[in-house]
Amino acid sequence: MSKIIKEIIRKKLTQLSAGELMNYANQYGFSLTQQETKQIIMYLRQYEVDPFSVEGRKKMIQQLARITDQTTAQKAQQLFNDMVTSYGLDHLFR
């Protein structure tokens, strides 16, 4: 079952639209410009992202900090950690 969940999450990351990302940003209190949104989407589609490994998440957060800023990247990391815990998916992200 965890393999299916992981595949769904990976697929969602690669198919995320700019509009969806902007909606998520607004919903969770992030401010992103249209340019930042486009750059994040391009990154997610261009590179194979592994959110399930510590190293993969570290690379994602570093790239997010380059695109936006360190504060936004830290907020995103905290939100990610909170969501993983609240949905009881900790076992997938070790």
Side-chain angles (χ1 to χ4, degrees):
M1 180 65 143
S2 64
K3 190 172 186 173
I4 293 170
I5 293 170
K6 286 182 177 184
E7 188 57 38
I8 291 169
I9 292 169
R10 281 188 186 105
K11 187 171 185 152
K12 182 61 180 174
L13 285 173
T14 61
Q15 294 179 346
L16 191 64
S17 73
E20 286 176 308
L21 185 55
M22 286 299 283
N23 285 336
Y24 290 135
N26 291 333
Q27 181 179 354
Y28 294 106
F30 291 84
S31 74
L32 296 176
T33 66
Q34 288 289 340
Q35 182 63 26
E36 289 169 339
T37 302
K38 289 177 185 176
Q39 288 177 325
I40 292 167
I41 295 298
M42 284 187 340
Y43 171 76
L44 291 172
R45 291 183 180 160
Q46 187 175 10
Y47 298 97
E48 191 170 315
V49 174
D50 182 12
F52 303 101
S53 74
V54 172
E55 189 60 33
R57 287 191 303 277
K58 183 178 174 183
K59 286 180 185 178
M60 279 190 335
I61 295 300
Q62 287 172 342
Q63 186 61 29
L64 181 59
R66 281 187 211 108
I67 293 170
T68 59
D69 58 51
Q70 190 63 37
T71 302
T72 300
Q74 288 172 343
K75 284 176 64 177
Q77 184 174 18
Q78 185 60 51
L79 174 62
F80 178 83
N81 294 339
D82 292 348
M83 291 181 81
V84 165
T85 301
S86 70
Y87 285 105
L89 299 173
D90 304 71
H91 64 285
L92 297 176
F93 297 91
R94 296 191 189 256

